[in-house]
Amino acid sequence: MKKFIAGALACATAATLLTGCGGGNSSSTAQSTGSTASGSTASGEQQVLRVATWDYTSNPSVSNAVAAFEAANPDIKIEILDIPSTDYNTKLNVMLNGGSDLDAYFIKDASSTYDLYKKGQLLDLTDYIEADGVDMSAYNGTDTPFNIEGRQYGMPVRTDYYVLFYNKDLFDAAGMEYPSNDMTWSEFEQMAMDISEAADCYGAYFHTWQACVQNWGVQDGEHTIMDYDTGYDFFKPYYEMVLRLQDAGAIQDFGELQSGNIHYSGAFAAGNVAMMPMGTWYMATIAESIKNGEANLENWGVATLPHPDNVSAGYTVGATTPIVINPASEKQDLAWEFVKFMSGEESANEYAKVGAIPGRLNDEILALVQEQEGMPEGLAEALKVENIVADRPIEESVTEVNDMLGQEHSLIMLGECSIDEGLANMASRAAEILK
């Protein structure tokens, strides 16, 4: 099989992170919690861990894994603080800054890890990992962004990366072969042009996020969105490609998508889009939509994300959801048992059973994802990747730079400035932010 590595997720390597380490260690926390190996107190009472996450009731991957943990550890009760996704970062900040008795939490936006680290709100997990002999190679590099100055502050639970969704019915109607797992962006563009004419449909769909253009510029792992000193010239070929497709009518107009607040899930489910680069998180959604009769298509497929001409197949872009421990927790040993489970093999199986991609990724897990109801033929092979590049590196000011890139992206796509003018503006504004 192809190797599962994510070396380029190390965009935020120790060399770029200059702040000192913080957090406790297993020997000190063991004394403060008074816990036994089974998770019960000396008196035998059940202990409660408070864990923050978002949209818990609609997220079976997390809830099933939590249920599995509680079944395996009847002396530990997990109290979930379920926060709506739109409010999660704000409310989590309030809790952490206000001295909440939160024990562990999921990080929604991996790029915010550095800010949490600087504020001392991440427990150093290195001693726990070493004491329990956790094999970090099982995470295929998705753990790397959460290793700061040689110390591990987060454990990967879920990972998502971009693949290519396609409508088999439209390809069949056009008499064209389906997209392959080894297709360049140049070949993708030609295929989108051809099928838009042959099947009288949109050859592709690019969502309004800047990621759906700019991600392909960092796909080779040579650059990140922080590399303003290049003038962001690595974005240019992909803006040219998308604007050519837009001008030809092979994709929907950006302005119409933006003004109509069109969501990518509805656009693909409408049945008149042949191909769509989107994250693996969409797999369960489209399968459920088809099952419920809510989609105007029956047969869909997934191919590996198209790649730049100078990069081998299997390079993609993604992000990882980690779970971390609050250094202010008085139950750090118990919290580690939960974190270890949620980032372990049993939890990975629970994620795969609902079509989600866990941080621990291997042939067996991909086969389990493939087996889920509604998943298309050939999915496991399409999901095998060589390299997962972080869409946003874990660095200081990355959020501000990313927001700025989104603003300039809209101006380019709306035709309010040329590609060259937009890229120059990106570089200038990024320099101001970072200097």
Side-chain angles (χ1 to χ4, degrees), residues 16-39:
T16 64
L17 303 171
L18 306 178
T19 307
C21 297
N25 56 56
S26 56
S27 60
S28 62
T29 54
Q31 295 175 0
S32 66
T33 61
S35 64
T36 66
S38 67

Side-chain angles (χ1 to χ4, degrees), residues 281-399:
W281 60 81
Y282 182 56
M283 297 188 303
T285 301
I286 186 59
E288 187 69 15
S289 295
I290 293 173
K291 176 184 176 182
N292 295 337
E294 299 169 349
N296 193 31
L297 76 155
E298 295 183 4
N299 301 301
W300 61 289
V302 172
T304 307
L305 186 71
H307 56 90
D309 292 335
N310 62 338
V311 175
S312 63
Y315 270 63
T316 186
V317 185
T320 298
T321 299
I323 187 170
V324 300
I325 297 176
N326 182 7
S329 169
E330 296 181 353
K331 303 174 182 177
Q332 293 175 4
D333 282 355
L334 286 181
W336 165 247
E337 292 304 315
F338 178 68
V339 167
K340 182 172 65 172
F341 183 93
M342 291 300 290
S343 57
E345 184 173 354
E346 190 170 348
S347 175
N349 288 335
E350 295 298 333
Y351 271 70
K353 287 176 184 176
V354 294
I357 308 296
R360 297 172 67 96
L361 193 59
N362 52 46
D363 276 349
E364 291 72 22
I365 291 295
L366 292 183
L368 192 55
V369 174
Q370 171 84 71
E371 292 170 6
Q372 302 316 300
E373 183 181 1
M375 293 301 170
E377 182 181 352
L379 178 64
E381 186 65 28
L383 292 176
K384 291 181 180 180
V385 292
E386 290 284 352
N387 199 61
I388 305 173
V389 178
D391 58 352
R392 287 167 290 175
I394 296 175
E395 296 181 22
E396 190 168 9
S397 301
V398 69
T399 300

Side-chain angles (χ1 to χ4, degrees), residues 103-117:
D103 296 303
Y105 60 95
F106 291 84
I107 297 179
K108 183 173 181 289
D109 297 318
S111 58
S112 66
T113 302
Y114 188 69
D115 289 336
L116 293 165
Y117 164 73

